[in-house]
């Protein structure tokens, strides 16, 4: 009969109270496990959406282009750099792009658009825009374009509509009017594309802007995890030269990267709040049990139990409560996790950081995170019991024996 | 002459109660020799429990000295007093006070667990004592599954199992009928004889006093009479 066994039996002397506090611990832990998975899912969805869209894992520009967006700051002789990128280890796709302002008009309706010249063969490996066609198909020739779904709605155009695209030559200012046909309509999760983009081949836009065969940007898709900043940096390092700058997505949109980092701080704060609430329950349960058994504690002291051992008994009872509640919570949390990873969590088209959550979020199983949170719950419970153990330590046998 | 098991020298225990001083013990001097089977008698409020608590190292006197097993209790720290109780003193209470979550066997074993006695020896010694108090076959019952008399027998076994030099019993028969009380006394007397353990029990029952080899009568915290039984 050890004190551990004794503590276990004592725990079940008031099964109802133990069940209530145990459930509180279990629900708290299950909530944290759910939250961990959900946050992980949100983050991954966010990062995945961003890196598998216009942004890519990394981008290469002419020096100064990123800060000024001056259209003249182009990458000259892009064939050379694209060739080197394709043979670089870890590069899956390298998509060249050109940007230019334009005016899209049909009948008496017109709107400003961002023209994007791209190359389908590579772009498909980076942004996968073409996978997001809601209607129509890819541009078949120089006189066909794709537009975003919101833009199409605003201008009341559909596949097959003929529109006039006006683009100015960036050097001469001469206006080029091009009659183009809508080949397809895109719905990405990126509002910039959906609301104002007109996508076309590289060469028609190069001609209209008068920039020869220069490009503005190369977006990359890489064979590493999008959250592996060091991996990305290593692959793109050789493309940071006197003329070109290569940056990982984390540096291109630092807000998102920081938000991902903040997630763990939010987790920590939530954990503290949840556990503080539970701690009150644990202290309350153990205190009530101490008061009810005051006479028994007196007897134990009278028999020669040292104050320290009595305190240890209380801590053991707290530890058991923690183990029971946490095991239940771990089980419950994993069940909820696995159910939700089958069904997904619908976010109702919420938008965050320029990403719309159109599709449901699937929670991510984070074994390390779950292990840490569970371990915290199991260790914090006996730690909280210290408060009550201190009281048990001070029990005066004579006074306690008078207790009824 | 042999060393006394316990000695009280001019022991006083005063309580302050709403400005008034209650003299629970008022200058008690006693010497208790080994193997005594001694009763402390006296009317309610005469100081019997107070006396036993002081000898049992559960309480400290206002003045005077309590010496148990050659140790002056006033010189011991709280933990040392706990060790003294654990190793040298057995306690029997009026209301049994067994630990409800432990079986008879585990209740008896408990003090040896504190002493760090080996598992096998614990079990052997406990079973032997349970047999001596006449409870063979009830080792695995919890206190709630035993009668009052049976619970008190477990308590007697618990008090003796650590082989103390002194067993203190505060009105051990007060909660049971006189027939059961008589049987409990038989058991205690037997153990006193066989193991030479000193017993001090308080009582106000004539029947119990008659069984003692020495009766100390208290009144208002003073020794009124000290006679051989
Ligand atoms: N903690 C205390 N505070 C104040 N007075 C106390 C305290 N403990 C005991 N007393 C008083 O000391 C006196 C002796 O009490 P004690 O319990 O020793 O008597 P007793 O002989 O055991 O009586 P009983 O036969 O009723 O058990 C009583 O007057 C009692 O009221
Ligand atoms: Mg009394």
């Amino acid at each position: 009969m050890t004190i551990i066994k004794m503590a276990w039996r004592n725990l079940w002397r008031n099964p109802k109270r133990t069940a209530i506090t145990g459930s509180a611990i279990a629900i708290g832990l299950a909530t944290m496990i759910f939250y961990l998975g959900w946050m992980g899912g949100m983050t991954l969805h966010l990062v995945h959406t961003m890196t598998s869209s216009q942004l890519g894992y990394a981008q290469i520009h002419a020096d100064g282009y990123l800060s000024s967006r001056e259209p003249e700051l182009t990458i000259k002789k892009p064939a050379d750099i694209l060739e080197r990128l394709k043979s670089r280890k870890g590069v899956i796709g390298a998509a060249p792009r050109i940007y230019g302002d334009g005016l899209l008009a049909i009948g008496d309706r017109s709107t400003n658009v961002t023209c994007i010249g791209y190359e389908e063969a590579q772009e498909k490996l980076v942004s996968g825009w073409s996978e997001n066609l809601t209607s129509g198909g890819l541009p078949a020739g120089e006189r066909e374009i794709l537009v975003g779904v919101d833009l199409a709605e605003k201008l009341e155009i559909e596949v097959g509509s003929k529109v006039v695209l006006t683009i100015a030559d960036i050097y001469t200012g001469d206006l080029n009017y091009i009659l183009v046909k809508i080949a397809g309509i895109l719905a990405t999760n990126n509002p910039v594309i959906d609301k104002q983009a007109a996508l076309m081949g590289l060469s028609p836009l190069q001609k209209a802007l008068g920039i020869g065969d220069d490009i503005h940007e190369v977006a990359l898709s890489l064979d590493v995890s999008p959250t592996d900043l060091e991996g990305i940096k290593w692959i793109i390092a050789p493309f940071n030269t006197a003329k070109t700058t290569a940056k990982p997505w984390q540096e291109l949109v630092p807000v998102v990267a920081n938000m991902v980092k903040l997630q763990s701080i939010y987790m920590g704060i939530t954990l503290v709040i949840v556990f503080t609430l539970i701690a009150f329950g644990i202290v309350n349960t153990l205190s009530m049990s101490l008061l009810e058994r005051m006479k028994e504690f007196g007897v134990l002291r009278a028999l020669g139990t040292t104050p320290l051992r009595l305190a240890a008994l209380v801590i053991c009872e707290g530890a058991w409560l923690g183990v029971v509640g946490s095991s239940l919570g771990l089980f419950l949390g994993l069940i909820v996790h696995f159910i939700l990873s089958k069904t997904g969590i619908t976010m109702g088209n919420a938008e965050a950081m320029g990403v719309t959550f159109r599709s449901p979020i699937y929670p991510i199983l984070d074994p390390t995170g779950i292990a840490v949170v569970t371990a915290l719950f199991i260790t914090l419970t006996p730690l909280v019991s210290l408060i009550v153990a201190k009281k048990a330590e001070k029990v005066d046998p004579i006074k306690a024996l008078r207790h009824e | 002459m042999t060393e006394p098991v316990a000695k009280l020298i001019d022991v006083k225990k005063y309580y302050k109660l709403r400005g008034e001083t209650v003299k629970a013990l008022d200058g008690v001097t006693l010497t208790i020799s080994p193997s005594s089977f001694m009763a402390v008698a006296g009317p309610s409020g005469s100081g019997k429990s107070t006396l036993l608590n002081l000898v049992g190292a559960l309480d400290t006197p206002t003045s005077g000295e309590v010496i148990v097993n050659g140790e002056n209790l006033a010189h011991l720290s709280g933990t040392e007093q706990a060790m003294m109780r654990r190793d040298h003193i057995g306690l029997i209470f009026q209301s049994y006070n067994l630990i409800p979550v432990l079986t008879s066997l585990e209740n008896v074993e408990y003090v040896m667990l504190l002493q760090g006695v080996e598992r096998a020896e614990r079990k052997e010694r406990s079973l032997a004592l349970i047999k001596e108090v006449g409870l063979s076959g009830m080792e695995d019952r919890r206190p709630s599954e035993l009668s009052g008399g049976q619970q008190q027998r477990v308590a007697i076994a618990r008090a003796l199992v650590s082989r103390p030099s002194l067993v203190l019993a505060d009105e051990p028969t007060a909660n049971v009928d006189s027939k059961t009380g008589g049987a409990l006394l038989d058991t205690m007397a037997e153990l006193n004889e066989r193991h030479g353990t000193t017993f001090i029990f308080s009582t106000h029952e004539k029947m119990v006093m008659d069984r003692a080899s020495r009766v100390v009568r208290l009144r208002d915290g003073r020794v009124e009479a000290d006679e051989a039984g």
Side-chain angles (χ1 to χ4, degrees):
Chain A
M1 188 67 217
T2 60
I3 140 171
I4 295 167
K5 243 174 161 180
M6 200 162 151
W8 172 255
R9 290 191 199 164
N10 281 332
L11 193 64
W12 299 105
R13 282 165 82 163
N14 194 327
K16 205 168 147 192
R17 196 165 58 204
T18 298
I20 289 171
T21 315
S23 306
I25 296 173
I27 291 167
L29 180 58
T31 307
M32 290 311 296
I33 290 174
F34 160 73
Y35 188 52
L36 207 62
W38 182 48
M39 279 294 162
M42 291 261 286
T43 306
L44 193 80
H45 182 87
L46 194 73
V47 170
H48 198 263
T49 308
M50 302 212 80
T51 54
S52 64
S53 71
Q54 200 184 358
L55 183 62
Y57 282 59
Q59 293 181 357
I60 302 170
H61 301 95
D63 239 4
Y65 178 82
L66 261 185
S67 49
S68 68
R69 296 271 170 192
E70 291 291 348
E72 309 91 84
L73 292 173
T74 54
I75 301 173
K76 321 277 186 216
K77 297 212 186 77
D80 174 45
I81 197 169
L82 288 172
E83 210 45 54
R84 276 170 51 223
L85 276 167
K86 272 168 208 160
S87 56
R88 172 86 178 139
K89 193 168 172 272
V91 174
I92 294 172
R97 294 173 188 161
I98 317 162
Y99 295 98
D101 295 327
L103 186 78
L104 195 66
I106 179 165
D108 56 356
R109 305 181 299 278
S110 67
T111 188
N112 288 319
V113 293
T114 301
C115 298
I116 305 175
Y118 79 105
E119 186 193 298
E120 178 57 27
Q122 284 299 313
E123 197 63 57
K124 168 166 90 184
L125 300 170
V126 178
S127 65
W129 280 330
S130 49
E131 286 162 26
N132 298 316
L133 281 172
T134 57
S135 56
L138 294 170
E142 302 223 331
R143 291 296 163 109
E144 290 195 354
I145 64 167
L146 301 173
V147 289
V149 62
D150 300 322
L151 180 67
E153 200 169 304
K154 186 175 159 200
L155 284 179
E156 296 167 32
I157 51 180
E158 53 196 32
V159 173
S161 299
K162 295 237 166 96
V163 294
V164 176
L165 189 56
T166 310
I167 300 167
D169 184 299
I170 63 161
Y171 296 110
T172 63
D174 293 346
L175 293 180
N176 296 303
Y177 302 94
I178 323 165
L179 182 68
V180 290
K181 199 170 98 182
I182 306 297
I185 292 171
L186 286 175
T188 63
N189 277 337
N190 182 347
V192 178
I193 301 282
D194 293 355
K195 287 195 179 106
Q196 61 189 51
L199 278 70
M200 60 190 79
L202 275 179
S203 62
L205 190 55
Q206 280 167 335
K207 265 182 230 161
L209 291 170
I211 58 169
D213 59 3
D214 292 359
I215 57 170
H216 286 126
E217 174 176 290
V218 185
L220 303 176
S221 162
L222 306 178
D223 194 17
V224 289
S225 159
T227 49
D228 178 9
L229 180 57
E230 290 313 307
I232 298 175
K233 276 184 170 169
W234 183 82
I235 297 172
I236 63 175
F239 301 93
N240 268 312
T241 63
K243 285 183 186 150
T244 56
T245 310
K247 285 195 165 180
W249 73 267
Q250 285 92 337
E251 284 173 26
L252 294 165
V253 278
V255 186
V256 176
N258 284 337
M259 203 201 70
V260 171
K261 271 192 221 154
L262 272 180
Q263 220 94 89
S264 52
I265 296 176
Y266 292 145
M267 272 305 293
I269 294 172
T270 313
L271 187 69
V272 168
I273 294 172
V274 167
F275 198 83
T276 307
L277 291 177
I278 292 172
F280 279 107
I282 295 168
V283 169
N284 184 50
T285 296
L286 294 174
S287 300
M288 298 236 293
S289 142
L290 174 74
L291 270 179
E292 282 170 8
R293 290 189 287 145
M294 199 41 106
K295 183 163 186 188
E296 192 177 315
F297 277 91
V299 173
L300 289 173
R301 287 283 284 111
L303 291 177
T305 310
T306 55
L308 219 59
R309 206 182 173 97
L310 216 54
L313 179 67
V314 172
I315 291 174
C316 267
E317 287 176 25
W320 272 126
L321 193 59
V323 167
V324 168
S326 303
S327 316
L328 200 69
L330 182 64
F331 183 66
L332 212 72
L334 289 178
I335 286 183
V336 169
H337 178 92
F338 284 117
I339 291 174
L340 288 177
S341 46
K342 290 274 170 292
T343 63
I345 307 161
T346 313
M347 303 285 297
N349 280 353
E351 193 186 312
M353 297 286 146
V355 169
T356 315
F357 293 97
R358 272 187 233 277
S359 43
I361 297 297
Y362 292 90
I364 298 295
L365 192 72
D366 170 8
T368 321
I370 291 175
V372 167
V373 172
T374 308
L376 270 178
F377 265 69
I378 292 180
T379 43
L380 283 178
T381 311
L383 223 61
V384 166
S385 334
L386 266 177
I387 300 171
V388 185
K390 278 268 157 220
K391 283 190 218 162
E393 204 180 352
K394 289 195 191 107
V395 164
D396 175 64
I398 288 279
K399 278 190 198 135
L401 278 167
R402 283 172 186 275
H403 233 271
E404 274 308 332
Chain B
M1 137 165 192
T2 48
E3 274 285 307
V5 178
K7 222 168 139 176
L8 288 88
I9 304 164
D10 195 24
V11 169
K12 293 180 181 161
K13 181 70 183 179
Y14 293 173
Y15 292 104
K16 277 262 186 292
L17 213 59
R18 280 172 225 94
E20 260 182 71
T21 305
V22 180
K23 298 179 175 178
L25 285 182
D26 195 16
V28 171
T29 300
L30 277 177
T31 302
I32 297 142
S33 45
S35 307
S36 312
F37 198 63
M38 181 182 124
V40 178
S44 185
S46 57
K48 304 184 292 292
S49 297
T50 306
L51 180 86
L52 292 187
N53 288 341
L54 288 173
V55 177
L58 288 168
D59 211 351
T60 45
T62 310
S63 72
E65 287 182 359
V66 182
I67 294 149
V68 176
N69 256 354
E71 295 261 23
N72 190 329
L73 295 186
H75 298 163
L76 301 182
S77 71
T79 303
E80 284 170 333
Q81 287 183 359
M83 308 263 235
M84 166 69 86
R85 288 196 298 272
R86 186 190 77 183
D87 297 337
H88 302 292
I89 298 166
L91 291 174
I92 299 169
F93 306 91
Q94 179 180 333
S95 48
Y96 331 129
N97 287 348
L98 298 178
I99 305 304
V101 291
L102 304 185
T103 64
S104 306
L105 180 66
E106 290 163 346
N107 262 290
V108 175
E109 274 184 320
Y110 181 77
V111 180
M112 286 191 286
L113 186 84
L114 298 180
Q115 289 175 320
V117 175
E118 287 242 352
R119 189 194 173 89
E121 191 189 338
R122 277 203 319 254
K123 186 155 184 191
E124 192 195 307
R125 273 164 65 180
S126 304
L127 286 176
L129 257 173
I130 286 173
K131 194 172 168 206
E132 278 194 71
V133 299
L135 285 183
S136 289
M138 300 194 186
E139 298 83 5
D140 296 329
R141 293 208 196 169
R142 300 260 180 115
S144 59
E145 295 157 352
L146 296 171
S147 73
Q150 288 168 336
Q151 287 185 57
Q152 197 63 307
R153 284 173 184 281
V154 176
I156 292 170
R158 174 175 72 178
L160 274 128
V161 80
S162 57
R163 297 172 181 156
S165 33
L166 185 61
V167 171
L168 302 168
D170 196 0
E171 312 209 27
T173 58
N175 277 17
V176 294
D177 60 65
S178 60
K179 190 167 157 254
T180 311
L184 286 174
L185 276 165
D186 290 341
T187 305
M188 289 196 277
E190 238 177 82
L191 292 166
N192 164 255
E193 242 167 66
R194 198 175 313 147
H195 302 285
T197 314
T198 304
F199 276 78
I200 306 177
F201 43 89
S202 70
T203 187
H204 37 231
E205 293 167 75
K206 176 90 173 58
M207 181 213 49
V208 179
M209 290 176 232
D210 289 346
R211 301 290 301 266
S213 57
R214 178 182 172 192
V215 180
V216 171
R217 286 179 197 278
L218 293 182
R219 183 174 293 275
D220 298 331
R222 290 169 179 277
V223 178
E224 184 190 46
D226 187 348
E227 61 222 17

